[in-house]
């Protein structure tokens, strides 16, 4: 059993953020000016200023859908500016600006990616790397295969959790020193267009005239429309600035970049395998593009799956999708909470609060096993450097001690949530002292459907499951295009950059 710490609510002073304090102070100043104008016999202007005071204080103190109103202001302003500039719609395909250039035709924050092909030591296997020119990062995705943890006994579950914890420390310590800045686990459920159960029965069955075979054949055939498969990818992101020395020594070319990254990818794949996770190799350029393409256009899933059986060098279209065709033909934001892309609509939920009660290793199993919709669950994590983590923890402890002294002087009530947050800070401090790596992370769920009505039903189903698991999930508003890139695509995006001592 383990327990997530509560989401921190401490601000600059007594739980208030700097923006809230600024708005409250502005409201008080406005009220003083209004009183002076009222005393001077100018009631019209005074009433208007009193109204402004009320608006400022309401904006500073109220919350909406899990966020302070001051946090909504930049989101709403950015969304309005985006729509005013006509940047809320994207046209790809023949209308894409980079159809014949090196950059991939992807919308929004993913527009800066270009594909680089890396050849492994055997001289045959290709690995697809996505280089973001503006952010100076390179991304790769490892195919993984999950195992049934629900039916495993308690000792096996504990051992797997221990192995996973060791993997987190390896990624956050050894590979962070080698340039790793983020990683993500993306698990998507898509229709099994090839009906693997039916193919397995047809290929492995020996006695086909028995009643048992006929019964199984009917069962697998009937399950074809509703069958799902689960694709799991571990995405890793490296900082090119940290690799610049090696790349310059290798000649400064894409081949030098690929060689530098491949050396690290080999170590990461070995570490993942040692943690008991079966791997299927790093995605090739066409394989990476196929994942992106089928996320943007679910109707293309069947055609892409059929190409997967094409032998290398054989007749017909090669397996996967050409990197230039990875993006959507058209995409746009619909309202504030929906993203439309090619043949489907998507809505992304952000898990704002993890379960506060002690939970077991299989607490997310209902989300993976009881959902029948097309959905993608993404956990994106960023290891915090040891020095910065220690400074951040020390800052939090000093700030909370100061808040406690201030509340005692003002005789303010200390809530149970504040006690839980203080204990969480102490726990994090002890874990860091024991050698564990501190992480910043976010859990998101992207739900995709063909129609808006179907999307509403599927989102409600996912929210119910998350609520029963003890999570507080909110639908992101005004930023669904960015949320889709973070939650539905294996690009390990979705975290704000670290600033100062904030971790």
């Amino acid at each position: 059993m383990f327990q997530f710490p509560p989401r921190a609510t401490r601000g600059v002073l007594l739980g208030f953020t700097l923006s809230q304090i600024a708005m409250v102070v502005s409201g008080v100043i406005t009220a003083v000016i209004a009183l002076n104008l009222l005393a001077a016999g100018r009631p019209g202007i005074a009433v208007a200023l009193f109204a402004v005071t009320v608006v400022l204080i309401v904006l500073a103190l109220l919350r909406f859908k899990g966020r302070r109103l001051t946090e909504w202001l930049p989101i709403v302003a950015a969304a309005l500016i985006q729509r005013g500039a006509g940047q809320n719609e994207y046209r790809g395909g023949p209308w894409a600006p980079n159809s014949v250039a090196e950059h991939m035709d992807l919308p929004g924050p993913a527009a800066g990616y270009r594909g680089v092909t890396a050849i492994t030591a055997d001289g045959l296997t290709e690995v697809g790397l996505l280089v973001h020119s503006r952010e100076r990062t390179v991304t790769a995705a490892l195919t993984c295969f999950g195992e049934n943890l629900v039916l495993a006994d308690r000792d096996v579950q504990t051992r797997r959790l221990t192995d996973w914890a060791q993997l987190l420390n390896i990624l956050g310590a050894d590979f962070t020193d080698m340039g790793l800045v983020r990683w993500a686990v993306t698990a998507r459920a898509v229709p099994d267009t090839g009906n693997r159960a039916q193919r397995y029965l047809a290929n492995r069955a020996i006695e086909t005239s028995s009643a048992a075979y006929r019964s199984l054949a009917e069962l697998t055939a009937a399950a074809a429309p509703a069958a799902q498969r689960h694709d799991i990818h571990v995405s890793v992101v490296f900082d090119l600035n940290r690799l610049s020395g090696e790349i310059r020594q290798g000649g400064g070319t894409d081949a030098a970049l690929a060689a530098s990254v491949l050396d690290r990818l080999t170590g990461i794949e070995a570490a993942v395998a040692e943690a008991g996770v079966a791997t299927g190799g790093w995605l090739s350029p066409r394989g990476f593009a196929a994942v992106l393409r089928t996320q943007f256009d679910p109707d293309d899933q069947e055609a892409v799956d059929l190409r997967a059986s094409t032998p290398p060098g054989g007749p017909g279209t090669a397996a996967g999708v050409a990197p230039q065709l990875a993006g959507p033909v058209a995409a746009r934001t619909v309202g504030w909470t929906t993203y439309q892309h090619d043949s489907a609509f998507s809505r992304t939920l952000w898990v704002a609060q993890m379960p506060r009660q002690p939970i077991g290793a299989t607490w997310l199993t209902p989300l993976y096993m009881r959902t029948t919709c097309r959905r993608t669950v993404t956990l994106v994590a960023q290891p915090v450097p040891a020095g910065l983590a220690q400074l951040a923890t020390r800052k939090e402890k000093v700030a909370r001690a100061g808040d406690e002294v201030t509340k005692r002087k003002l005789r303010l009530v200390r809530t149970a949530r504040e006690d839980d947050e203080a204990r969480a800070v102490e726990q994090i401090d002890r874990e860091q002292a024991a050698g564990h790596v501190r992480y910043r992370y976010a859990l998101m769920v992207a739900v995709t459907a063909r129609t808006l009505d179907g999307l509403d039903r599927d989102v409600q189903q996912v929210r119910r499951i998350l609520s029963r698991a003890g999570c507080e999930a909110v639908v992101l508003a005004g930023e669904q295009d960015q949320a889709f890139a973070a939650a539905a695509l294996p690009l390990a995006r979705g975290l704000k950059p670290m600033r100062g001592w904030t971790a």
Side-chain angles (χ1 to χ4, degrees), residues 5 37 66 104 116 229 231 265 289 299 357 364-365 443 454 465:
L37 290 174
M104 302 175 71
V116 172
R229 78 166 188 264
D231 297 335
L265 296 183
D299 281 354
Q357 302 297 326
L364 265 184
T365 298
L443 180 62
I465 292 175

Side-chain angles (χ1 to χ4, degrees), residues 458-480:
D458 293 342
V459 169
Q460 289 299 323
Q461 180 192 23
V462 171
R463 294 190 72 172
R464 285 195 299 269
I465 292 175
L466 288 172
S467 179
R468 290 173 182 172
C471 299
E472 296 179 15
V474 296
V475 176
L476 295 175
E479 47 191 353
Q480 280 291 322

Side-chain angles (χ1 to χ4, degrees), residues 49-104:
L49 290 178
F50 277 127
V52 172
T53 299
V54 173
V55 171
L56 288 173
I57 294 178
V58 168
L59 289 175
L61 300 181
L62 287 188
R63 286 175 173 265
F64 179 69
K65 291 188 175 181
R67 290 182 175 180
R68 302 182 182 94
L69 293 184
T70 53
E71 296 175 328
W72 280 109
L73 291 179
I75 296 174
V76 173
L80 293 177
I81 294 173
Q82 183 187 50
R83 295 187 180 189
Q87 297 296 316
N88 61 321
E89 295 186 1
Y90 173 83
R91 291 293 179 268
W95 299 279
N98 297 307
S99 295
V100 294
E102 62 178 2
H103 283 77
M104 302 175 71

Side-chain angles (χ1 to χ4, degrees), residues 426-480:
E426 294 294 336
Q427 178 184 349
I428 292 173
D429 190 19
R430 289 192 298 271
E431 291 174 351
Q432 291 177 184
H436 294 284
V437 177
R438 181 170 180 173
Y439 274 95
R440 299 170 65 235
Y441 63 89
L443 180 62
M444 294 166 286
V445 183
V447 183
T448 302
R450 297 180 183 276
T451 64
L452 284 175
D453 292 339
L455 181 63
D456 291 337
R457 291 192 300 270
D458 293 342
V459 169
Q460 289 299 323
Q461 180 192 23
V462 171
R463 294 190 72 172
R464 285 195 299 269
I465 292 175
L466 288 172
S467 179
R468 290 173 182 172
C471 299
E472 296 179 15
V474 296
V475 176
L476 295 175
E479 47 191 353
Q480 280 291 322

Side-chain angles (χ1 to χ4, degrees), residues 9-21 24 60-61 68:
T9 58
R10 191 193 63 80
V12 177
L13 179 64
L14 298 178
F16 295 102
T17 62
L18 192 60
S19 58
Q20 287 179 298
I21 295 174
V24 170
L61 300 181
R68 302 182 182 94

Side-chain angles (χ1 to χ4, degrees), residues 172-455:
D174 299 346
F175 287 98
T176 296
D177 296 336
M178 300 171 66
L180 180 70
V181 291
R182 289 190 308 275
W183 58 265
V185 178
T186 302
R188 67 170 186 167
V190 297
D192 187 6
T193 57
N195 196 356
R196 293 183 180 180
Q198 195 173 25
R199 292 203 310 270
Y200 183 88
L201 180 63
N203 295 332
R204 297 298 184 91
I206 299 176
E207 176 58 50
T208 59
S209 60
S210 64
Y213 174 82
R214 290 195 298 271
S215 177
L216 284 175
E218 293 175 0
L219 181 62
T220 55
Q228 279 189 328
R229 78 166 188 264
H230 299 268
D231 297 335
I232 303 173
H233 299 100
V234 175
S235 308
V236 293
V237 180
F238 292 93
D239 186 359
L240 286 180
N241 293 324
R242 301 186 189 179
L243 307 181
S244 58
E246 294 182 24
I247 296 174
R248 282 196 302 268
Q249 290 178 1
T253 62
D254 284 345
L257 183 153
S260 178
V261 174
L262 277 177
D263 184 46
R264 291 158 170 79
L265 296 183
T266 302
I268 291 177
E269 184 174 6
V272 172
E274 290 174 359
V277 179
T279 63
W282 298 92
L283 288 177
S284 66
R286 292 184 65 89
F288 212 146
V291 175
L292 301 180
R293 177 62 190 154
T294 52
Q295 290 294 82
F296 282 114
D297 188 4
D299 281 354
D300 209 19
Q301 186 76 56
E302 184 175 2
V304 172
D305 289 345
L306 288 175
R307 291 185 209 139
S309 59
T310 303
T317 306
V321 173
Q324 294 83 359
L325 303 178
V329 175
R332 62 169 182 161
T333 54
V334 179
W336 286 94
T337 59
T338 305
Y339 185 59
Q340 183 179 9
H341 45 92
D342 284 356
S343 59
F345 298 86
S346 289
R347 191 169 298 160
T348 301
L349 296 90
W350 167 53
V351 180
Q353 176 63 62
M354 296 292 192
R356 300 180 187 178
Q357 302 297 326
I359 54 176
T362 59
W363 66 279
L364 265 184
T365 298
L367 180 61
Y368 291 112
M369 305 304 297
R370 296 180 186 174
T371 51
T372 58
C373 58
R374 186 184 181 105
R375 57 101 188 106
T376 306
V377 183
T378 296
L379 173 68
V380 56
Q382 180 179 17
V384 181
L388 179 58
Q390 292 176 1
L391 289 175
T393 302
R394 187 174 304 170
K395 176 186 174 183
E396 290 175 358
K397 295 180 70 174
V398 170
R400 290 192 179 278
D403 284 351
E404 186 176 355
V405 172
T406 304
K407 287 192 174 184
R408 274 203 305 265
K409 289 182 179 179
L410 298 177
R411 296 183 179 180
L412 297 177
V413 176
R414 184 178 176 88
T415 64
R417 183 184 178 89
E418 292 173 335
D419 292 336
D420 291 341
E421 293 178 6
R423 284 193 293 269
V425 173
E426 294 294 336
Q427 178 184 349
I428 292 173
D429 190 19
R430 289 192 298 271
E431 291 174 351
Q432 291 177 184
H436 294 284
V437 177
R438 181 170 180 173
Y439 274 95
R440 299 170 65 235
Y441 63 89
L443 180 62
M444 294 166 286
V445 183
V447 183
T448 302
R450 297 180 183 276
T451 64
L452 284 175
D453 292 339
L455 181 63

